[in-house]
Amino acid sequence: MNEMTALKPELDEARMEEFAGRVCEILNDGAIGYMIFVGHRLRLFDVMSDLGGGGTSAAIAVQAGLSERYVLEWARALTVGGILDYDPLSEIFSLPPERAAMLCRGGAGENLAVFSQHVPMMAAMSDTMLEVFRTGDGIPYGQYPCFHEVMAEDSAMSVVSALFDTILPMTGDTQHRLEQGIDVMDAGCGRGLALMAMAERYPDSRFRGYDLCEEAVEFASAEADRRGLINIFFAVKDLTHLDLEGEFDLITSFDAVHDQKDPADYLKRIFRALRPGGTYLMQDIGGSAKVENNHDFPMAAFLYTISCTHCTPVSRAQGGEGLGTMWGWETAMDMLSDAGFGDIEKRLFDHDPMNVWFVVRR
C-alpha cells in the first residue's frame, strides 16, 4: 500500500446515495423552473385560469394559439413536477387555484413565475460567464437579454402595487409634500414604472429618472409620452458621475444600489443631491452580508446565483469591485451612515420578504 492509497478517505455509501438523490432533485427542479418560464412567457398559466382552471392539451393550445404537441409535453413535465394536476380519464390538466394565485398575472398572490425568467437569461450568458470567470472582467448591461423587461415585472409587483398604500406612507409627510409639488429623482430608474405611477398621482410634482441603460430609458420615455405625462423626464446617465447639489426633495432607488460601480460613493452623491430635510427612500435585497446568516433567507441560492451571473459582472464592467446582490443590509447601513445620513430607518414588509427598505433624511 503506497502513501496516496493510505490517505484516501473511506467513502460512506449511504451519504453518497443521499447526495446523489439531492443532485438529481436539483437537476429536476432546474428543468421545472425552465418550464415555469415557458408557461409564464406564453401565458399558458393565464390561459388555464381563463379556462376555469384547466383543460385538455388541445383546448389549452387552441386558447393560447400554440402547437398542441408542445403544449402536451409542457403540461406533462409540469404534472410530474407537481405544478399541474392530471386526470387520465378526461385527459384534463388542471392548475389548482392556490397555485394559479402564485403563477398567474393579476392573481391573489405574488406571481413567482416572473422570477423564472432569470433562468434562460442566465443560460443565454453561459459562454460569456465562463470567460469572465477566467479573466475577472465584467459584462455590460446591454449584453443581457430582456433584463429590464423582467425587472419591470418584478417592480410592478414589489414596488408599484404597494407604493401608495404601504411604501410612501412610511416616509412621513412625503405624500402630502408630493401633492403640494416637490422635485423627485429615481436614481437607477430602469423602465420607470414606479416614477410614472407617482407622476400620474401627483401632477404638481416634478420627476426625473436616470439610468445607465439606453434601452430602459427609451422605453420609459416612450411610455411616459404615451401616458401624456408632462411632469416627468428620463435620461441616460452614468450615476458614477452624478454631480448635483441640493436639487431634490425626494430621491428613490429601487433595487439599484448594489449594481453601482461604487455604491459608497453613489450614496454620498445621493446625499449631496438632496435638499436639507429631503428624504432618500432606498430598496435593496435584504440578505445579510454574512453567508452563514442566509441559509433561511428566501431564495438565497437563487439570489447568490443572480449576483454571480448579473449584479457582480455588471458592476465590474463599470470598473467596480462588484459587491453583488447579497452585499448585505449591514453593509448598506454602514454606507448610508458614512454618506452623511443620520437617522436611518430600516423596514421590512410581509408582501416583499426578499427586500429591505431604508428611509433616511438629510
Side-chain angles (χ1 to χ4, degrees):
M1 178 183 299
N2 61 39
E3 184 178 351
M4 291 299 294
T5 303
L7 293 176
K8 188 175 181 179
E10 186 174 334
L11 298 178
D12 185 322
E13 295 290 339
R15 293 178 66 183
M16 286 177 61
E17 286 191 23
E18 180 183 4
F19 181 68
R22 172 67 180 133
V23 172
C24 290
E25 181 183 36
I26 291 169
L27 295 173
N28 206 46
D29 285 347
I32 295 167
Y34 182 79
M35 284 304 192
I36 290 175
F37 154 74
V38 171
H40 175 73
R41 290 301 290 262
L42 294 178
R43 308 183 78 89
L44 283 162
F45 298 123
D46 303 301
V47 164
M48 294 183 73
S49 182
D50 291 343
L51 288 172
T56 63
S57 58
I60 296 169
V62 168
Q63 184 73 9
L66 300 171
S67 163
E68 189 272 337
R69 181 65 190 92
Y70 285 100
V71 170
L72 174 61
E73 214 67 3
W74 169 83
R76 286 170 171 171
L78 290 187
T79 295
V80 296
I83 306 301
L84 303 180
D85 290 339
Y86 178 65
D87 178 10
L89 294 179
S90 63
E91 297 185 337
I92 287 178
F93 295 94
S94 59
L95 180 64
E98 297 79 11
R99 300 176 202 169
M102 308 304 294
L103 293 173
C104 291
R105 294 167 176 83
E110 182 177 14
N111 185 359
L112 296 177
V114 167
F115 301 109
S116 70
Q117 296 173 104
H118 287 282
V119 175
M121 184 173 67
M122 288 186 283
M125 301 302 296
S126 294
D127 289 342
T128 305
M129 277 304 308
L130 296 178
E131 185 60 24
V132 299
F133 261 79
R134 298 184 181 99
T135 65
D137 294 337
I139 305 172
Y141 265 117
Q143 291 190 26
Y144 289 87
C146 304
F147 175 76
H148 284 288
E149 179 181 350
V150 174
M151 292 306 296
E153 281 196 85
D154 185 2
S155 175
M157 291 190 304
S158 62
V159 179
V160 180
S161 66
L163 188 59
F164 304 111
D165 295 331
T166 304
I167 296 169
L168 287 178
M170 71 177 172
T171 62
D173 65 347
T174 297
Q175 287 178 291
H176 175 71
R177 297 176 68 199
L178 284 164
E179 290 171 353
Q180 299 300 310
I182 60 174
D183 293 296
V184 182
M185 174 175 68
D186 189 3
C189 63
R191 289 190 168 187
L193 297 185
L195 202 64
M196 282 186 274
M198 286 191 282
E200 287 179 319
R201 176 71 68 97
Y202 306 111
D204 291 328
S205 285
R206 299 157 297 279
F207 300 86
R208 270 190 269 173
Y210 295 129
D211 198 275
L212 182 64
C213 182
E214 184 174 351
E215 178 274 328
V217 170
E218 287 178 353
F219 180 96
S221 297
E223 180 63 15
D225 288 344
R226 188 190 69 80
R227 298 186 190 189
L229 297 173
I230 60 174
N231 59 336
I232 194 167
F233 170 76
F234 291 100
V236 176
K237 184 180 284 290
D238 183 349
L239 297 172
T240 302
H241 307 298
L242 182 69
D243 189 19
L244 302 173
E245 185 69 38
E247 293 196 19
F248 299 97
D249 305 286
L250 172 66
I251 298 178
T252 59
S253 295
F254 301 116
D255 201 14
V257 177
H258 66 264
D259 282 346
Q260 303 303 315
K261 172 183 177 180
D262 186 347
D265 182 68
Y266 166 94
L267 292 174
K268 291 175 183 177
R269 292 173 182 273
I270 293 294
F271 180 83
R272 291 197 297 270
L274 277 173
R275 291 179 177 135
T279 299
Y280 178 42
L281 175 62
M282 170 182 159
Q283 172 211 27
D284 217 289
I285 301 300
S288 171
K290 299 179 179 180
V291 66
E292 62 268 26
N293 294 338
N294 290 324
H295 288 287
D296 296 324
F297 188 75
M299 299 176 72
F302 177 85
L303 290 167
Y304 274 117
T305 303
I306 295 296
S307 179
C308 182
T309 59
H310 180 268
C311 298
T312 298
V314 160
S315 173
R316 291 182 72 87
Q318 302 172 65
E321 64 175 286
L323 284 181
T325 316
M326 299 290 273
W327 63 316
W329 61 267
E330 307 97 329
T331 307
M333 291 194 72
D334 287 344
M335 287 187 180
L336 285 166
S337 179
D338 291 343
F341 293 105
D343 184 20
I344 303 172
E345 299 179 40
K346 173 176 171 281
R347 300 288 188 89
L348 301 172
F349 293 135
D350 290 339
H351 83 278
D352 185 18
M354 283 197 298
N355 288 297
V356 63
W357 294 81
F358 297 101
V359 180
V360 291
R361 294 173 179 83
R362 177 169 178 175

